Amino acid sequence: MKVVGALVWLLLPLTARCVEPISMTVGAIVTGVITYYGVHWYSPDQCQLGGNINVTALQVDFEENIFGQHLAKRVILKAVPGFLENRNPKKPLALSFHGWTGTGKNYVSQILARHVYPEGLKSKHVHQFVATLHFPHADLIDVYKDQLQLWIRGNVSACERSIFIFDEVDKMQRGLIDAIKPFLDYYEHIGGVSYRRAIFIFLSNAGGEYISELALHFWKTGREREDIKLSDVEHHLALYAFNSNDGGLWHSSLIAKNLIDFFVPFLPMEFEHVKMCVRAEVRQRGFLEDEDLISTVAKEMTYYPKEEKIYSVKGCKTVSAKLQYHL
């Protein structure tokens, strides 16, 4: 069935393969591929938008909406514009975001996508995978690999400046992520298609514990979290992701072959950062900033460690719901 499904994909017009990944039972795969796809007619002008980015506007967006993540801001503001300006990159840009839930990994990827393509995640050139939604069944991993490769090839063939976001990589089936290894490598072309101008972003909770321990160590020794450097954590994150029993990067060739350009840590959120999240949410909803309300919502979050209570367990993830309750 896997082979038949792949053949069906190959027989489809190239633009017809540019679809969202489909997860279904083996018996429904071929039927689903035939009946559930959207033909994306791409405008060259739309695709060319992905070659430019307003660095100042991106920086302002980060300052207004992303809090406590100096490393993520620094890496993206340097790496992404530089990559987009390079007319002949040697390989695609691959970023791996690591940290506990609610620290801003998804939000940063959404902001970045929006500044490359105005429609953001709604753009036909920005593609998001969610491991537990699109690849839930371990016994279908070979099918997923075929679909993933064909789907990426179809979209990059239509627009070489495609952005691929893989969420919940720590919950992905082992070995699946290696299916995209050829697309991240230093090949000029694969089957007549160049992948060098694409962007791949991986989001994972893996390494969250190590990042939290590092941040706590800096706090206990009286050092500012802004003093944490990428060199302090990046190598450890790569090793953690590679050796962790949980997640799709376990013994992954993407790490073994050094194909991920940056391992970006997202630090745990302190009380003041949570307040910033609440304040930003209040502004976005058009309400006047009430400091008492902002502090009340921030205080209702759960903090750890048990004694010090420095970092929010859920980051800023439930801020919107708690604010709605009070409003």
Side-chain angles (χ1 to χ4, degrees):
M1 183 64 71
K2 177 188 69 174
V3 176
V4 175
L7 288 175
V8 171
W9 271 89
L10 289 171
L11 292 173
L12 289 174
L14 191 57
T15 52
R17 299 185 213 141
C18 305
V19 300
E20 297 304 316
I22 306 164
S23 297
M24 57 191 75
T25 62
V26 175
I29 288 174
V30 176
T31 302
V33 168
I34 295 174
T35 60
Y36 186 69
Y37 66 83
V39 178
H40 293 173
W41 298 104
Y42 294 100
S43 163
D45 293 336
Q46 289 179 328
C47 185
Q48 287 303 316
L49 287 174
N52 301 290
I53 190 169
N54 186 323
V55 179
T56 301
L58 177 60
Q59 185 172 10
V60 170
D61 208 342
F62 278 164
E63 293 302 320
E64 293 180 350
N65 297 289
I66 303 299
F67 311 111
Q69 305 302 343
H70 68 284
L71 288 174
K73 294 177 183 179
R74 188 177 303 162
V75 170
I76 293 171
L77 287 171
K78 289 185 177 181
V80 176
F83 176 76
L84 294 175
E85 291 169 4
N86 187 350
R87 295 187 177 183
N88 187 32
K90 300 301 181 184
K91 65 178 290 297
L93 179 64
L95 306 172
S96 191
F97 295 170
H98 296 261
W100 288 138
T101 183
T103 52
K105 301 186 300 296
N106 263 297
Y107 203 15
V108 166
S109 64
Q110 292 172 23
I111 290 175
L112 177 58
R114 186 170 68 246
H115 281 269
V116 178
Y117 292 108
E119 294 180 345
L121 294 182
K122 295 181 180 179
S123 170
K124 301 299 185 182
H125 310 307
V126 179
H127 318 284
Q128 186 175 41
F129 298 86
V130 180
T132 54
L133 174 64
H134 296 121
F135 315 113
H137 306 296
D139 57 337
L140 292 179
I141 186 169
D142 289 336
V143 175
Y144 295 150
K145 285 183 177 180
D146 288 343
Q147 290 181 343
L148 189 55
Q149 289 183 342
L150 290 167
W151 189 73
I152 289 176
R153 182 187 179 194
N155 281 288
V156 175
S157 297
C159 177
E160 60 182 3
R161 185 67 82 194
S162 293
I163 299 176
F164 301 95
I165 302 172
F166 293 82
D167 197 4
E168 298 184 341
V169 173
D170 51 305
K171 299 178 179 64
M172 186 173 285
Q173 306 295 339
R174 286 187 181 182
L176 175 57
I177 201 68
D178 283 347
I180 71 171
K181 184 263 183 187
F183 307 130
L184 293 182
D185 216 329
Y186 291 82
Y187 297 120
E188 185 172 357
H189 294 91
I190 301 176
V193 179
S194 174
Y195 298 87
R196 290 183 168 187
R197 300 187 70 200
I199 298 176
F200 292 80
I201 302 174
F202 308 102
L203 314 180
S204 174
N205 290 345
E209 183 176 355
Y210 168 75
I211 297 169
S212 293
E213 290 176 352
L214 179 64
L216 184 61
H217 172 73
F218 269 66
W219 181 84
K220 287 183 176 180
T221 56
R223 301 166 67 186
E224 299 292 332
R225 63 191 279 138
E226 287 74 16
D227 292 335
I228 300 176
K229 300 176 182 178
L230 188 64
S231 58
D232 294 329
V233 62
E234 189 173 29
H235 179 66
H236 296 283
L237 279 182
L239 289 177
Y240 190 97
F242 187 79
N243 294 312
S244 175
N245 290 325
D246 298 325
L249 290 175
W250 180 80
H251 286 191
S252 171
S253 61
L254 273 59
I255 299 177
K257 299 298 182 180
N258 298 309
L259 298 179
I260 296 179
D261 299 293
F262 295 96
F263 289 85
V264 185
F266 280 69
L267 303 175
M269 310 289 282
E270 298 178 8
F271 177 73
E272 289 302 318
H273 302 131
V274 176
K275 285 181 65 177
M276 292 177 184
C277 291
V278 179
R279 186 175 290 109
E281 184 72 20
V282 169
R283 287 200 304 264
Q284 289 175 8
R285 295 190 182 206
F287 292 97
L288 294 176
E289 295 182 24
D290 183 332
E291 290 302 319
D292 290 336
L293 172 64
I294 291 171
S295 294
T296 297
V297 173
K299 288 177 181 177
E300 288 189 358
M301 305 293 283
T302 304
Y303 294 86
Y304 73 96
K306 185 176 180 180
E307 298 299 326
E308 295 90 344
K309 295 184 178 179
I310 306 169
Y311 305 118
S312 171
V313 172
K314 296 181 180 179
C316 289
K317 194 159 191 175
T318 59
V319 159
S320 180
K322 289 187 177 295
L323 177 61
Q324 182 63 41
Y325 172 79
H326 286 280
L327 291 175

